Amino acid sequence: MTELNVNGARLAYDDRGTGTPVVLLHAGIADRRMWREQVDALAARHRVIALDLRGYGESELPPTPFANHQDVVGLLDALGLDRAALVGCSFGGAVAVDTALAHPDRVTALALLGSAVSGHEWSDEFHDLWDMLIGDVDPDDLDANAAAEVRFWVVGPARRPEDVDPALIAFAHELDRRALAAEQALSAVDGVDLDPPAIGRLGELRMPVLVTAGAADVPDINRLADRIAAEAPRAIRLPDIPDAAHLLPLERPAEVNAALLDFLP
């Protein structure tokens, strides 16, 4: 692990390999450890930087307003990197898109895996699925919330827990339990959102964009992947990866690594 002071916060990251730089941005239910199957594979050809976003993992959370997309650019500045490709999963994908919109000259390419998009409003179907699968959960019970989120996101609405590798479920629970604690702390700090948000600006993404999702993910995520691919001028929409849900890099590392190595500049 390496640390740097970025925009007044100590951010933790892993830095491996040489070559064209690639920054990996984790899901909101995880931290940089979710990229454990990608770092070495990509580092054979790239300089790979797996970042803990502010407040997550081993990165700190000073009580001052911040923007995740500005932290990404601040990290590039601190490392002396003019440009990098960004790979994001879920919330990390939304941060990657925001960074590319706010600083298009700093981003060479985007790879979006089950990506969220800032400004997107979840559908009634999404909320109904949560109510059907999960129901009410005590917001103060982090273990119960982690179990609920793993059931919803990592298993997915169309699969049963017994259909998924128990080791993946256990690791996802550990990641999400820590991420939920981070989110509690983050709720007390002002986050600065991209304005206007990305959902109405996908056509501004002029760099190459790779988009895919897990076929077993929640339908809103698959539809978002379709929308990004339809609106970003240079987007490539890979087919949804079969029998995989939201944490694609952990669940299907071989497919993800092959796609990234084929796409990244």
Side-chain angles (χ1 to χ4, degrees):
M1 183 194 73
T2 309
E3 298 175 346
L4 274 176
N5 190 287
V6 175
N7 298 333
R10 178 184 52 77
L11 300 187
Y13 62 97
D14 297 319
D15 191 345
R16 305 267 185 85
T18 59
T20 54
V22 177
V23 178
L24 307 179
L25 300 169
H26 60 79
I29 59 173
D31 55 49
R32 76 182 194 277
R33 291 176 293 164
M34 69 164 285
W35 301 109
R36 64 185 185 182
E37 301 292 341
Q38 282 68 54
V39 172
D40 287 341
L42 298 181
R45 284 182 13 202
H46 300 276
R47 181 178 179 182
V48 182
I49 300 151
L51 173 66
D52 274 339
L53 292 164
R54 190 181 297 220
Y56 287 89
E58 296 176 287
S59 290
E60 70 173 358
L61 183 65
T64 53
F66 74 100
N68 281 304
H69 58 278
Q70 301 296 7
D71 280 351
V72 173
V73 170
L75 179 67
L76 296 182
D77 290 342
L79 293 172
L81 298 173
D82 291 332
R83 307 175 78 204
L86 306 182
V87 179
C89 178
S90 185
F91 171 64
V95 174
V97 171
D98 285 356
T99 305
L101 290 171
H103 300 278
D105 57 323
R106 308 298 299 274
V107 179
T108 58
L110 287 175
L112 304 174
L113 312 171
S115 184
V117 177
S118 64
H120 168 73
E121 294 187 7
W122 299 105
S123 69
D124 290 342
E125 178 189 9
F126 174 90
H127 295 293
D128 290 344
L129 278 172
W130 178 273
D131 290 342
M132 179 182 69
L133 287 172
I134 309 299
D136 294 329
V137 183
D138 180 355
D140 296 322
D141 188 337
L142 294 186
D143 285 318
N145 277 275
E149 291 193 346
V150 168
R151 172 65 185 90
F152 189 75
W153 291 109
V154 181
V155 175
R159 299 191 294 183
R160 300 168 301 171
E162 54 266 32
D163 298 329
V164 180
D165 181 359
L168 172 64
I169 290 178
F171 185 46
H173 188 279
E174 177 190 343
L175 289 170
D176 195 35
R177 175 65 171 74
R178 187 167 182 177
L180 285 165
E183 289 177 357
Q184 280 192 343
L186 283 159
S187 67
V189 179
D190 289 333
V192 180
D193 296 327
L194 184 71
D195 186 20
I199 194 62
R201 302 172 58 188
L202 298 172
E204 298 175 31
L205 296 172
R206 300 297 176 179
M207 66 288 296
V209 180
L210 181 75
V211 188
T212 191
D217 208 335
V218 299
D220 271 35
I221 291 293
N222 305 88
R223 286 193 287 264
L224 269 177
D226 291 340
R227 180 168 177 178
I228 296 166
E231 297 184 20
R234 300 175 66 188
I236 299 167
R237 175 67 160 100
L238 294 184
D240 290 339
I241 296 177
D243 194 26
H246 204 53
L247 291 184
L248 279 177
L250 279 170
E251 189 167 14
R252 294 288 179 263
E255 293 91 331
V256 168
N257 293 349
L260 292 177
L261 285 168
D262 186 57
F263 170 75
L264 290 170

